[in-house]
Amino acid sequence: MTKKALENAITVIMALGGSTNAVLHLLALAHTIDVDLDLDDFERVRQNVPHIADLKPSGRYVMEDLSKVGGVPAVMKLLLEKGLLHGDCLTVTGKTVAENLAEVPSLTEGQEIINFDNPKRETGPLVILKGNLAPEGALAKMSGLKIKKITGPARVFDSEKLATEAVLKNEINPGDVIVIRYVGPKGGPGMAEMLSITAIVVGKGLGEKVGLITDGRFSGGTHGLVVGHLSPEAQVGGPIALIKEGDLITIDSETQELAVNVSEEEFQERAKDWTAPEQNLRGILKKYARNVSSASKGAITD
């Protein structure tokens, strides 16, 4: 388990358009094995890896379809041939990645799921955003979206439940930016997946018409202009905790900016009136909330 091995994992995830959860998991895994890995490493790898898989939720196919034409090993073989994998990494077979892949059949001739020459994106879809709303970083999955940026008024909710009710009551308008906070590692506690709310937004026909930001996370099935993992999170007084209804928020995947039109001085004034919501926690959840770190570090607990 080396940094090169983790870079291989990031490469495959970017090529296939994998879940944002991979960022959390790999950061935490790297910390556990004392490998220096951070968000900048994801961004560095992303810039060199095209998104080549036409897979759901943004594409036409599912993983079973990919399996029938060679699966992940065949994709890795292609990535190695293109010079995007570290072939010298040792694996659990006792052989290197390159030695393992030498024995793997290539992708089936004529298959349409993986296309290196005409990728869905020239760079990977898991984009790190920063700005005055996420000084430590935030994460968006930009695959299959026509809309690349949005600036709109904040619609602020302190739980997924409240946001869901507003969407179901048709209280969210095109151009709005939904804010769901206090659902981060400490606030959740445990970073709930915002899958249902994003599915409802898409079902209401707003998938390409609104933005959504949260200090929580998403599942691999999430689709839309959504940004998660905002760090620092609301529970510790991060900028997302200080947003007010109507503040203008900009999500820009091209400049990788996540910002709100609130000055630093205004943020400082708002912070004076802010206190962390009381959490009625006991036992392991209380210990977890007390010990867990920022999502930008993998939500580790030591």
Side-chain angles (χ1 to χ4, degrees):
M1 294 300 295
T2 63
K3 185 158 187 172
K4 281 186 174 183
L6 292 173
E7 288 177 349
N8 280 347
I10 296 170
T11 295
V12 174
I13 289 159
M14 293 294 181
L16 292 178
S19 171
T20 50
N21 282 311
V23 177
L24 275 175
H25 297 326
L26 291 179
L27 286 172
L29 194 155
H31 171 79
T32 302
I33 58 176
D34 289 325
V35 169
D36 180 21
L37 188 76
D38 58 28
L39 292 179
D40 290 339
D41 291 307
F42 282 84
E43 184 59 28
R44 173 176 52 81
V45 174
R46 184 186 79 82
Q47 292 291 345
N48 295 319
V49 181
H51 179 197
I52 59 176
D54 190 8
L55 293 170
K56 291 182 182 293
S58 60
R60 296 175 293 169
Y61 300 97
V62 296
M63 286 300 291
E64 182 183 6
D65 298 318
L66 178 59
S67 180
K68 292 175 180 176
V69 298
V72 174
V75 175
M76 290 180 65
K77 187 182 185 79
L78 173 63
L79 293 172
L80 180 67
E81 291 170 352
K82 299 295 184 179
L84 296 176
L85 287 184
H86 301 293
D88 58 341
C89 287
L90 188 65
T91 73
V92 292
T93 66
K95 298 178 181 180
T96 65
V97 168
E99 289 171 335
N100 285 338
L101 294 178
E103 304 170 5
V104 169
S106 298
L107 286 161
T108 302
E109 188 75 26
Q111 61 80 32
E112 298 181 346
I113 304 170
I114 302 297
N115 191 331
F116 195 94
D117 297 324
N118 186 26
K120 295 180 74 67
R121 277 178 60 96
E122 295 295 331
T123 56
L126 300 185
V127 181
I128 307 299
L129 292 84
K130 291 187 177 181
N132 68 347
L133 267 180
E136 293 178 6
L139 181 62
K141 182 176 178 179
M142 302 302 303
S143 56
L145 293 180
K146 297 174 184 176
I147 181 172
K148 306 295 182 184
K149 58 184 177 181
I150 188 173
T151 296
R155 304 298 308 280
V156 184
F157 305 95
D158 289 349
S159 71
E160 183 185 11
K161 181 174 182 287
L162 291 172
T164 299
E165 290 173 355
V167 176
L168 290 174
K169 292 177 181 177
N170 298 317
E171 295 172 357
I172 302 300
N173 302 310
D176 286 347
V177 178
I178 302 167
V179 179
I180 304 176
R181 61 191 182 189
Y182 298 109
V183 291
K186 288 183 180 292
M191 291 188 84
E193 287 189 338
M194 302 289 118
L195 178 57
S196 63
I197 177 67
T198 52
I200 292 168
V201 166
V202 172
K204 285 286 187 178
L206 296 170
E208 297 271 357
K209 299 175 182 177
V210 301
L212 189 155
I213 67 172
T214 179
D215 50 10
R217 64 192 176 106
F218 303 107
S219 88
T222 297
H223 184 60
L225 190 58
V226 297
V227 184
H229 305 202
L230 268 72
S231 302
E233 63 174 292
Q235 191 66 32
V236 299
I240 188 175
L242 307 177
I243 298 173
K244 293 183 177 180
E245 189 84 3
D247 286 346
L248 282 180
I249 292 175
T250 295
I251 304 170
D252 192 328
S253 66
E254 295 175 324
T255 62
Q256 297 178 238
E257 179 186 25
L258 180 61
V260 60
N261 69 334
V262 175
S263 67
E264 184 59 34
E265 292 74 23
E266 174 64 16
F267 266 146
Q268 291 174 5
E269 285 298 313
R270 293 184 185 184
K272 293 177 183 178
D273 299 324
W274 178 85
T275 55
E278 186 174 345
Q279 292 179 288
N280 185 23
L281 301 174
R282 288 190 173 190
I284 192 65
L285 281 181
K286 186 172 184 178
K287 293 174 184 175
Y288 176 86
R290 183 168 59 238
N291 292 322
V292 69
S293 74
S294 165
S296 64
K297 297 181 179 179
I300 53 177
T301 55
D302 59 346

